[in-house]
Amino acid sequence: MSLLEADSISRRLPEGPVLLSEASLAVAGGEFVAITGPSGSGKSSLLYLLGLLDRPSSGRVLLQGQDTTGLTGDALAALRLARFGFVFQFHFLLPEFSALDNVAIPIRRTGLARAEARDKAQTILAGLGLGSDSAKMPDQLSGGMRQRVAIARALANDPAVLLADEPTGNLDTKNAAAVFDIFAELARDAGRAVVIVTHDAELAKRATRRVHLVDGRIVSDAAQG
Amino acid sequence: MSLLTDIARGMLARRKRQTLVSVAGVALGVGFFIGTAAVMRGFQTYFISQIIDVQPHITIKDELRRPLPQAAELANPGAAVALAGLRPQDRIRGIRAPGDRMAILEAIPGAAAAPLLTGQALMRYGARDVSATVTGIDPLRYPRVSNIAKDITQGSLDDLRTTANGIIIGVGLAERLGISLGDSMNAVSPRGVTLLMKVVGIFRTGIVSLDQTQAYTLLKVNQILQDRPSVVNQIVLRLEDVRQAEPLARMIEARFGERTESWEEQNANILTVFTIQNSITFSITGAILLVATFGIFNVISTVVFEKTRDIAILKSLGFTERDIQVLFLIQGLAAGAIGAAMGCALGALIIEGMAQIRFGSGATSGNDRFILAREWQIYAIASGVAIVSAAVAAIIPARRAARLDPVQTIRGAA
């Protein structure tokens, strides 16, 4: 059984345009999937639907075989908290909080006390090579470091699925490669499913599987070495 | 919950100046409310305490609230025929069986009662005639229901009993007559009785109308003067707990039948004025608070607008709509609570500032300053209203924040 499965999902906006039509995709733990395609091909829409951040207009999204279609907003939020980690093109760190607190916030949301959550956050940051920068505010960090803090935040509650939307879009080549390596490692070592959206063909080659979208449809889906 | 409080604090801290302005608005509203309420309540409380101090708390009069049914009506109860042009039966004025009633009234715990007979008389001294209200009193009972003993400046109440036809008159009345303590004068009643009376005491209440027209003598002496032997036309009561006056007055009236008025009924016009006064104060300060509430609405709306991305990211992290709503409600509540606290401090300052003001008018009653009520209830009401309205002001932007679609925000940012 796959970890995360999209069963013929479509997404239409009320005004008419079709973002995604009848996409089916099953992702297993340990897979590192790169979604590619031109701008407006529906890559991000597919990612948000897989991450239960948006609801499909038709079709189903299954998490560990369980249909998520009829779940309430709160139930979806609870699943996002426990099972999913998101990384976006922009780091979206809360500017009022230090790197450490930004990572600790989703941990505290699960009910853990502040001190314990900060301890855990520190461990995660250290694992990403940011152990000594954890007290810094987001605006004191470089772009690459901010994106790594954002990854640390996505990993805060040890999610089964890690979803990233153009995570290297704002980074230079060196930092982009480093971030990509982190994702590859996270998929390989922890048995997570990692799905990233990217338009960088060079980086996409390094994923274990590549899904290509054109005009809201999956046109190719192939494993790659 | 402490997590949401932490995030709320961080968000408000980023908009320090704007937050401060809206908080200051709330503080002004709360502060002025406390100040004006203290003046109003202080004055009203003082005024009422003066009434309670000077006037009897309950007055039983020798009249009925409704005219007695006439003999013709009693003879034909429920008759379908209306009778007109009847000559009403005369009723001898006066409270019946005052001795029995006094015994019942004096058995009420926490109440003191005194029988009175009041009537008019003309005071004649030398070439002057001055009309006065003569009240016949029982010198043992009357001091328990009034301040007369305190008000006497010359002579004494006891001399009423030891002197034949003794009379105690107001200081204004003495001046108008040109009479002094120990002098005798003629008192002439409307019934034509003339008594030679000796001034055994002079009092000063500070209330000009009383000092110029009031005179006291023994109940028995006044009964002779008014030619109404054994008659009492008022019983006045003083209570330990003035709040019992109205219910007790109703009980007495139900039992005795005579018209019985509490101090509240006798001063209903002034108490109504106070009610109007209070509603004006409350509406004005309410308007100030309303403006302050708009300030809070504005800040929270701005924060929601600016924090759209943060809201989206919090939602993607697994925060529920309810979390987001609470997050902004906390900010509104915090602004309201800080404003209320500052307002309480401001209010206390305003009160102490007003306490320093002297009018220098030299009023006879000796009031040359604001009478201020320093009651914690005023602070509690003002703070409560401020915090509740702040929360209400935050609800609309908080709900909007909760409904924001994270996908749209993130897509828009990309």
Side-chain angles (χ1 to χ4, degrees):
Chain A
M1 184 175 59
S2 50
L3 183 55
L4 184 63
E5 191 181 345
D7 177 13
S8 185
I9 52 173
S10 300
R11 182 74 173 95
R12 282 178 296 274
L13 291 182
E15 306 90 67
V18 177
L19 300 174
L20 192 70
S21 58
E22 299 188 353
S24 290
L25 181 72
V27 184
E31 270 194 294
F32 180 16
V33 183
I35 302 177
T36 57
S39 293
S41 59
K43 313 187 289 287
S44 298
S45 299
L46 176 59
L47 193 78
Y48 301 146
L49 290 167
L50 286 174
L52 309 182
L53 208 51
D54 199 4
R55 291 175 192 265
S57 312
S58 66
R60 306 179 302 161
V61 175
L62 297 98
L63 181 66
Q64 285 170 329
Q66 193 202 339
D67 190 358
T68 60
T69 307
L71 295 180
T72 62
D74 284 1
L76 293 179
L79 284 177
R80 287 200 296 273
L81 180 70
R83 303 294 188 79
F84 290 90
F86 285 95
V87 180
F88 301 100
Q89 181 177 359
F90 298 95
H91 57 83
F92 284 149
L93 297 175
L94 301 186
E96 301 89 1
F97 294 92
S98 68
L100 184 64
D101 282 323
N102 263 290
V103 179
I105 281 172
I107 306 178
R108 288 176 69 187
R109 181 59 188 81
T110 63
L112 222 62
R114 186 165 180 266
E116 286 174 67
R118 283 167 65 103
D119 282 349
K120 222 179 137 186
Q122 180 66 38
T123 313
I124 297 168
L125 282 168
L128 290 167
L130 290 161
S132 54
D133 299 305
S134 61
K136 287 185 180 162
M137 301 304 280
D139 55 11
Q140 296 170 313
L141 298 168
S142 72
M145 287 162 113
R146 280 182 216 160
Q147 199 57 311
R148 273 187 285 160
V149 175
I151 295 170
R153 181 176 60 185
L155 294 173
N157 289 320
D158 195 17
V161 184
L162 191 61
L163 303 168
D165 189 3
E166 303 273 13
T168 59
N170 275 357
L171 300 178
D172 56 45
T173 321
K174 193 171 148 242
N175 271 312
V179 164
F180 225 85
D181 288 342
I182 294 171
F183 282 117
E185 202 176 311
L186 287 170
R188 197 171 54 236
D189 295 351
R192 285 188 185 87
V194 176
V195 182
I196 77 166
V197 164
T198 183
H199 61 263
D200 187 331
E202 283 305 307
L203 288 173
K205 279 179 192 161
R206 298 168 59 181
T208 60
R209 182 175 163 192
R210 189 167 165 182
V211 175
H212 192 70
L213 267 80
V214 175
D215 290 340
R217 289 179 188 279
I218 296 176
V219 293
S220 76
D221 180 355
Q224 53 185 23
Chain B
M1 195 52 77
S2 70
L3 169 61
L4 292 177
T5 317
D6 281 355
I7 301 175
R9 196 193 302 145
M11 287 184 172
L12 273 187
R14 287 284 278 206
R15 298 215 58 87
K16 264 191 195 117
R17 183 187 290 182
Q18 207 183 354
T19 307
L20 215 68
V21 169
S22 66
V23 161
V26 176
L28 279 180
V30 170
F32 281 116
F33 175 86
I34 291 171
T36 41
V39 175
M40 302 285 255
R41 275 199 62 83
F43 172 70
Q44 292 172 5
T45 312
Y46 169 79
F47 203 92
I48 290 170
S49 75
Q50 288 295 96
I51 292 174
I52 290 168
D53 190 45
V54 172
Q55 293 186 357
H57 300 160
I58 296 177
T59 308
I60 304 173
K61 297 185 166 176
D62 65 336
E63 55 190 76
L64 302 170
R65 223 168 256 275
R66 279 185 206 81
L68 274 182
Q70 296 298 317
E73 294 171 74
L74 287 175
N76 306 289
V81 180
L83 296 166
L86 283 175
R87 194 195 155 119
Q89 188 187 32
D90 277 342
R91 181 172 172 265
I92 299 157
R93 303 267 327 235
I95 294 173
R96 272 127 232 278
D100 296 352
R101 295 192 173 180
M102 282 302 297
I104 293 168
L105 293 173
E106 286 187 324
I108 299 170
L116 304 176
L117 174 65
T118 50
Q120 296 298 313
L122 200 62
M123 300 297 166
R124 184 165 283 176
Y125 183 65
R128 303 190 192 187
D129 287 353
V130 179
S131 132
T133 305
V134 181
T135 302
I137 61 168
D138 176 341
L140 289 180
R141 282 165 167 159
Y142 193 62
R144 285 191 269 152
V145 299
S146 79
N147 297 324
I148 176 128
K150 201 170 68 186
D151 292 336
I152 290 180
T153 53
Q154 296 175 51
S156 85
L157 201 59
D158 287 335
D159 293 344
L160 276 184
R161 283 189 296 169
T162 54
T163 313
N165 293 351
I167 191 166
I168 297 174
I169 60 175
V171 63
L173 187 57
E175 274 168 22
R176 284 166 74 192
L177 286 165
I179 201 167
S180 4
L181 191 71
D183 295 342
S184 290
M185 62 179 176
N186 276 315
V188 187
S189 76
R191 300 290 276 263
V193 180
T194 304
L195 284 182
L196 184 67
M197 306 196 84
K198 185 177 180 188
V199 178
V200 298
I202 290 173
F203 67 84
R204 178 200 289 274
T205 59
I207 300 163
V208 178
S209 63
L210 280 184
D211 289 346
Q212 285 194 349
T213 60
Q214 191 56 249
Y216 295 102
T217 179
L218 284 183
L219 185 56
K220 287 221 155 26
V221 173
N222 204 29
Q223 283 167 347
I224 295 166
L225 182 65
Q226 304 294 336
D227 192 20
R228 299 172 76 178
S230 309
V231 171
V232 164
N233 66 1
Q234 263 185 32
I235 297 174
V236 292
L237 280 90
R238 197 174 179 86
L239 307 178
E240 278 171 20
D241 182 3
V242 292
R243 285 167 303 177
Q244 295 303 314
E246 182 57 29
L248 190 58
R250 296 286 70 79
M251 251 169 65
I252 293 170
E253 183 166 323
R255 179 149 185 185
F256 293 167
E258 271 101 3
R259 184 183 178 106
T260 306
E261 294 175 349
S262 66
W263 63 271
E264 284 130 307
E265 187 180 348
Q266 291 186 324
N267 297 286
N269 51 346
I270 293 169
L271 298 180
T272 312
V273 170
F274 286 169
T275 312
I276 296 168
Q277 221 176 26
N278 285 341
S279 7
I280 294 170
T281 319
F282 288 141
S283 3
I284 291 173
T285 41
I288 298 176
L289 269 180
L290 193 70
V291 173
T293 310
F294 271 108
I296 290 181
F297 172 80
N298 190 26
V299 174
I300 306 297
S301 297
T302 315
V303 173
V304 167
F305 179 73
E306 284 190 345
K307 293 294 177 187
T308 312
R309 280 185 185 191
D310 293 358
I311 295 164
I313 198 72
L314 285 172
K315 280 190 157 184
S316 78
L317 288 175
F319 282 68
T320 61
E321 291 197 0
R322 199 184 146 71
D323 288 334
I324 304 295
Q325 198 169 335
V326 170
L327 174 63
F328 288 97
L329 274 183
I330 290 175
Q331 297 184 31
L333 278 175
I338 297 169
M342 282 167 58
C344 286
L346 180 67
L349 277 177
I350 290 175
I351 290 178
E352 294 317 315
M354 284 194 294
Q356 302 304 316
I357 296 172
R358 297 288 176 272
F359 302 136
S361 60
T364 46
S365 47
N367 287 321
D368 62 342
R369 63 191 72 177
F370 281 118
I371 300 145
L372 299 159
R374 293 178 172 86
E375 292 169 0
W376 65 266
Q377 286 95 332
I378 295 176
Y379 291 84
I381 291 171
S383 309
V385 169
I387 292 170
V388 168
S389 30
V392 170
I395 279 178
I396 299 167
R399 287 172 65 107
R400 204 174 57 218
R403 280 200 297 262
L404 277 177
D405 179 6
V407 171
Q408 271 185 19
T409 309
I410 293 163
R411 204 187 282 284

